[in-house]
Amino acid sequence: DYVNVKSDGVDVYAANVKQAAFGATTTIGNTSNNEYVNIDGDGVKVYGGSATTFAQVDANSFNIISGGHTSASFGATTTIGPTSGSHVLIDSSGVTTKFDSNNYSKIDSDSLDIYAGGALKSTFGSTVILGTAGQARTEISDTALNMYDGAASPVARVNLDNSGNLTLGQSGEARTVIT
């Protein structure tokens, strides 16, 4: 067991194995088995037995790396789960739960939006839309409930307004109005 003082740092040995090095890059622990702490200009990394699995703190974030892939990152943008697959993303625009780039839900300051197959399928906000805008859908607002057909230019076929009036059919066609 000994300490080696050099011009560029200090190394600490136990049983002839370097256990710590202090200098521009500081390591504490046995680097040969990847169980050590590394401190350098890029931040701090804590290894737990694998060269590709570690926790890292840098100037912008705290990251969990597993098998060489980021499993979680906590910073201005936070991700939980590998970003190449299903994960949660939290940033200044809201919270997104992603299954893939075409299938996800997003919560922001005014609504919860659900996307499937790359298209907006439902919105829950001041107006609730069940279905895809421009297609057959149901819309609920503070003044009415409307059900639209699936025509090329969708038309409200059912309307229940906040006065209790129920209209079945569209203007200009045979329709039923119940007041």
Side-chain angles (χ1 to χ4, degrees):
D1 298 347
Y2 62 95
V3 175
N4 182 16
V5 179
K6 308 178 292 182
S7 64
D8 62 347
V10 175
D11 296 336
V12 177
Y13 289 84
N16 287 325
V17 176
K18 189 188 309 184
Q19 297 297 317
F22 299 92
T25 297
T26 296
T27 59
I28 301 170
N30 187 343
T31 60
S32 66
N33 65 2
N34 292 306
E35 293 179 350
Y36 67 100
V37 176
N38 186 88
I39 304 168
D40 61 22
D42 293 328
V44 177
K45 291 181 182 176
V46 179
Y47 292 87
S50 169
T52 60
T53 300
F54 53 90
Q56 175 186 30
V57 177
D58 60 28
N60 302 315
S61 61
F62 170 67
N63 304 303
I64 305 295
I65 312 299
S66 180
H69 302 285
T70 302
S71 291
S73 180
F74 301 90
T77 296
T78 295
T79 58
I80 302 170
T83 56
S84 60
S86 296
H87 66 282
V88 175
L89 181 138
I90 304 167
D91 62 16
S92 61
S93 68
V95 177
T96 303
T97 305
K98 292 190 135 193
F99 300 97
D100 59 44
S101 61
N102 291 313
N103 301 289
Y104 58 94
S105 60
K106 181 172 177 115
I107 300 171
D108 57 29
S109 63
D110 64 358
S111 66
L112 162 64
D113 300 323
I114 299 174
Y115 291 80
L120 179 62
K121 295 297 183 181
S122 296
T123 297
F124 299 88
S126 59
T127 297
V128 174
I129 301 172
L130 304 173
T132 303
Q135 298 179 6
R137 67 189 182 282
T138 300
E139 292 186 4
I140 305 168
S141 70
D142 60 348
T143 59
L145 180 146
N146 291 299
M147 298 176 78
Y148 292 83
D149 64 16
S153 295
V155 174
R157 297 290 184 172
V158 176
N159 172 270
L160 176 61
D161 65 26
N162 60 352
S163 297
N165 299 316
L166 174 64
T167 304
L168 304 172
Q170 72 177 25
S171 179
E173 293 181 0
R175 63 185 190 160
T176 302
V177 177
I178 302 170
T179 57

